[in-house]
Structure formats: C-alpha cells, structure tokens
Amino acid sequence: MKIEIDDKHFELLFEYEQIKKRIRLLAIQLNIDFEDKIPVFLGVLNGSFIFLADLIKEIDISSEITFVKVSSYEGDKSSGKIKEEIGLQMSLKDRDVIIVEDIVDSGKTLEYLLKMVEKQMPASVNVCSLLLKPNSLKVELDEITYVGFEIPDEFVVGYGLDYKGLGRNLKDIYKAVKS
C-alpha cells in the first residue's frame, strides 16, 4: 500500500499487527527485567506517545509515566540543534528510568536526553525505542537496551512518527519512496 503526505510518497514498512506483536515482546522483557522495581517510563514527545500508550498497556509491574519534549527535526532532516520544549516534571533521583523513544536516528537527541537524566542521579537508565537506525548512529549509546525494529537509513512516518506534523495518526509505519 502506498500513501502520499504533502510532497512525499511512502510505502508500507510495518503493519500495525507486526508492531503490536513486537511491543508485547518488549513488554514481557521489561516486566521480567524490572519485576521487583517501580520504573519511571519517560516518554519523549511527540513521537513516542502512541508507542508508549500501547507499551504501557502491556506492562504488568508497578510503574510511573512522565514526559519530556525535545526536538531537532525540521521537515525530514535533523537540524542538529536540540531544543527543549518541555523539561522533566519529576525527580528521577534513585529511580530506574526507561526512556521511551519512537526512533533513534543519529542518537544526538538521545545523547542530550541521557545527559539530562543522568544529572538527576537515577539508579539506572535504559532506552526502549520502537525503531533504531544502527547505520545512522553518530554516537555510541550503550543504554539502548530494548529495540522494536532495526531499520535502514530511511525516512519513516506513521504510528506517532510524522512528516511536517502529518501522518502521526496512521496505524502502520511507512517508509519514504525514493523519487
């Protein structure tokens, strides 16, 4: 299936059913790994909100949720400059923190977030990302522990991911078609 958003064409990459199955598996692992803890799920807005909502429904352990909003994208490219729009709303001191990302691309935004979280002196920090572009990483990030799907260096939209603010509401994930 192909779709068009603004001036870009996209084709199906992952169907919603595939995404849901992968999220269930991630949640099982998180439930096991944090069985005797009360982690804080730190959602990175705007992209992670759908992923985090579906993930948290599969989490059986006690946990808390909070959000931050940072941005570096302009259109379909990262600007390289990170802007903090909503900062941390709670103390993470001595807490087990799971940063929930929609996608890790260059890793620069995540690196910024990790430094922000580390200043709070948490007990532990792990990253759970729905998508990871390993060939695009510009920094080494050992905290990326839970990954839904590894994808090539392609622009994607849907399931919370957007293009110029559009497409977040799509149930499936689509990749841009090279023109």
Side-chain angles (χ1 to χ4, degrees), residues 30 58 94 110 127 133 137 144 159-160 174-175:
L30 287 161
E58 301 290 336
D94 299 325
L110 184 54
V127 175
K133 294 182 180 179
L137 284 172
I144 302 174
Y159 197 74
Y174 298 82
K175 66 179 181 175

PDB file of all heavy atoms in Angstrom, residues 30 58 94 110 127 133 137 144 159-160 174-175:
ATOM      1  N   LEU A  30      10.533  -6.228  29.612  1.00  0.00           N
ATOM      2  CA  LEU A  30      10.550  -5.165  30.623  1.00  0.00           C
ATOM      3  C   LEU A  30       9.919  -5.650  31.928  1.00  0.00           C
ATOM      4  O   LEU A  30      10.443  -5.361  33.014  1.00  0.00           O
ATOM      5  CB  LEU A  30       9.813  -3.926  30.100  1.00  0.00           C
ATOM      6  CG  LEU A  30      10.560  -3.126  29.034  1.00  0.00           C
ATOM      7  CD1 LEU A  30       9.604  -2.236  28.258  1.00  0.00           C
ATOM      8  CD2 LEU A  30      11.681  -2.310  29.663  1.00  0.00           C
ATOM      9  N   GLU A  58       0.706  -3.112  28.177  1.00  0.00           N
ATOM     10  CA  GLU A  58       1.245  -4.473  28.294  1.00  0.00           C
ATOM     11  C   GLU A  58       2.151  -4.628  29.521  1.00  0.00           C
ATOM     12  O   GLU A  58       2.648  -5.721  29.789  1.00  0.00           O
ATOM     13  CB  GLU A  58       2.037  -4.840  27.034  1.00  0.00           C
ATOM     14  CG  GLU A  58       1.237  -4.774  25.745  1.00  0.00           C
ATOM     15  CD  GLU A  58       0.189  -5.873  25.632  1.00  0.00           C
ATOM     16  OE1 GLU A  58       0.355  -6.929  26.270  1.00  0.00           O
ATOM     17  OE2 GLU A  58      -0.796  -5.663  24.899  1.00  0.00           O
ATOM     18  N   ASP A  94      17.579   8.272  42.158  1.00  0.00           N
ATOM     19  CA  ASP A  94      17.496   6.893  42.661  1.00  0.00           C
ATOM     20  C   ASP A  94      16.361   6.078  42.029  1.00  0.00           C
ATOM     21  O   ASP A  94      15.939   5.071  42.589  1.00  0.00           O
ATOM     22  CB  ASP A  94      17.345   6.873  44.198  1.00  0.00           C
ATOM     23  CG  ASP A  94      18.528   7.520  44.891  1.00  0.00           C
ATOM     24  OD1 ASP A  94      19.656   7.387  44.381  1.00  0.00           O
ATOM     25  OD2 ASP A  94      18.318   8.189  45.930  1.00  0.00           O
ATOM     26  N   LEU A 110      18.968  11.652  21.742  1.00  0.00           N
ATOM     27  CA  LEU A 110      19.023  10.721  22.859  1.00  0.00           C
ATOM     28  C   LEU A 110      20.227  11.002  23.753  1.00  0.00           C
ATOM     29  O   LEU A 110      20.126  10.948  24.987  1.00  0.00           O
ATOM     30  CB  LEU A 110      19.047   9.279  22.350  1.00  0.00           C
ATOM     31  CG  LEU A 110      19.002   8.197  23.405  1.00  0.00           C
ATOM     32  CD1 LEU A 110      17.821   8.355  24.351  1.00  0.00           C
ATOM     33  CD2 LEU A 110      18.963   6.824  22.739  1.00  0.00           C
ATOM     34  N   VAL A 127      17.060   2.562  27.565  1.00  0.00           N
ATOM     35  CA  VAL A 127      16.283   3.153  26.480  1.00  0.00           C
ATOM     36  C   VAL A 127      15.494   2.055  25.793  1.00  0.00           C
ATOM     37  O   VAL A 127      16.029   0.981  25.502  1.00  0.00           O
ATOM     38  CB  VAL A 127      17.201   3.859  25.455  1.00  0.00           C
ATOM     39  CG1 VAL A 127      16.399   4.360  24.257  1.00  0.00           C
ATOM     40  CG2 VAL A 127      17.959   5.003  26.116  1.00  0.00           C
ATOM     41  N   LYS A 133      17.903   3.086  13.831  1.00  0.00           N
ATOM     42  CA  LYS A 133      18.656   3.103  12.575  1.00  0.00           C
ATOM     43  C   LYS A 133      20.144   2.941  12.923  1.00  0.00           C
ATOM     44  O   LYS A 133      20.853   3.926  13.084  1.00  0.00           O
ATOM     45  CB  LYS A 133      18.452   4.432  11.842  1.00  0.00           C
ATOM     46  CG  LYS A 133      17.060   4.679  11.347  1.00  0.00           C
ATOM     47  CD  LYS A 133      17.015   6.015  10.609  1.00  0.00           C
ATOM     48  CE  LYS A 133      15.651   6.345  10.083  1.00  0.00           C
ATOM     49  NZ  LYS A 133      15.651   7.658   9.393  1.00  0.00           N
ATOM     50  N   LEU A 137      23.660   6.005  13.422  1.00  0.00           N
ATOM     51  CA  LEU A 137      24.159   6.469  14.721  1.00  0.00           C
ATOM     52  C   LEU A 137      25.480   7.211  14.582  1.00  0.00           C
ATOM     53  O   LEU A 137      26.409   6.733  13.935  1.00  0.00           O
ATOM     54  CB  LEU A 137      24.335   5.288  15.678  1.00  0.00           C
ATOM     55  CG  LEU A 137      23.067   4.709  16.281  1.00  0.00           C
ATOM     56  CD1 LEU A 137      23.379   3.437  17.056  1.00  0.00           C
ATOM     57  CD2 LEU A 137      22.372   5.718  17.175  1.00  0.00           C
ATOM     58  N   ILE A 144      20.820   1.860  24.986  1.00  0.00           N
ATOM     59  CA  ILE A 144      19.750   1.346  24.120  1.00  0.00           C
ATOM     60  C   ILE A 144      19.656  -0.158  24.353  1.00  0.00           C
ATOM     61  O   ILE A 144      20.434  -0.933  23.829  1.00  0.00           O
ATOM     62  CB  ILE A 144      20.001   1.661  22.635  1.00  0.00           C
ATOM     63  CG1 ILE A 144      20.137   3.165  22.417  1.00  0.00           C
ATOM     64  CG2 ILE A 144      18.869   1.101  21.771  1.00  0.00           C
ATOM     65  CD1 ILE A 144      20.527   3.555  21.005  1.00  0.00           C
ATOM     66  N   TYR A 159       2.304   5.785  13.015  1.00  0.00           N
ATOM     67  CA  TYR A 159       2.386   5.256  14.367  1.00  0.00           C
ATOM     68  C   TYR A 159       3.139   6.231  15.293  1.00  0.00           C
ATOM     69  O   TYR A 159       4.043   5.875  16.024  1.00  0.00           O
ATOM     70  CB  TYR A 159       3.034   3.870  14.375  1.00  0.00           C
ATOM     71  CG  TYR A 159       2.771   3.116  15.653  1.00  0.00           C
ATOM     72  CD1 TYR A 159       1.519   2.566  15.913  1.00  0.00           C
ATOM     73  CD2 TYR A 159       3.751   2.968  16.614  1.00  0.00           C
ATOM     74  CE1 TYR A 159       1.268   1.902  17.100  1.00  0.00           C
ATOM     75  CE2 TYR A 159       3.513   2.300  17.798  1.00  0.00           C
ATOM     76  CZ  TYR A 159       2.273   1.781  18.043  1.00  0.00           C
ATOM     77  OH  TYR A 159       2.017   1.114  19.228  1.00  0.00           O
ATOM     78  N   GLY A 160       2.768   7.502  15.203  1.00  0.00           N
ATOM     79  CA  GLY A 160       3.375   8.529  16.048  1.00  0.00           C
ATOM     80  C   GLY A 160       4.447   9.339  15.354  1.00  0.00           C
ATOM     81  O   GLY A 160       4.752  10.454  15.757  1.00  0.00           O
ATOM     82  N   TYR A 174       5.257   3.596   7.541  1.00  0.00           N
ATOM     83  CA  TYR A 174       5.592   3.675   6.127  1.00  0.00           C
ATOM     84  C   TYR A 174       6.973   4.271   5.950  1.00  0.00           C
ATOM     85  O   TYR A 174       7.410   5.082   6.749  1.00  0.00           O
ATOM     86  CB  TYR A 174       4.575   4.562   5.393  1.00  0.00           C
ATOM     87  CG  TYR A 174       3.175   4.038   5.429  1.00  0.00           C
ATOM     88  CD1 TYR A 174       2.347   4.253   6.525  1.00  0.00           C
ATOM     89  CD2 TYR A 174       2.668   3.308   4.356  1.00  0.00           C
ATOM     90  CE1 TYR A 174       1.052   3.749   6.568  1.00  0.00           C
ATOM     91  CE2 TYR A 174       1.377   2.803   4.379  1.00  0.00           C
ATOM     92  CZ  TYR A 174       0.573   3.031   5.490  1.00  0.00           C
ATOM     93  OH  TYR A 174      -0.697   2.530   5.515  1.00  0.00           O
ATOM     94  N   LYS A 175       7.656   3.863   4.883  1.00  0.00           N
ATOM     95  CA  LYS A 175       8.966   4.440   4.550  1.00  0.00           C
ATOM     96  C   LYS A 175       8.828   5.275   3.299  1.00  0.00           C
ATOM     97  O   LYS A 175       8.019   4.986   2.407  1.00  0.00           O
ATOM     98  CB  LYS A 175      10.019   3.353   4.366  1.00  0.00           C
ATOM     99  CG  LYS A 175       9.796   2.449   3.192  1.00  0.00           C
ATOM    100  CD  LYS A 175      10.902   1.419   3.079  1.00  0.00           C
ATOM    101  CE  LYS A 175      10.673   0.527   1.866  1.00  0.00           C
ATOM    102  NZ  LYS A 175      11.762  -0.399   1.654  1.00  0.00           N
TER     103      LYS A 175
END
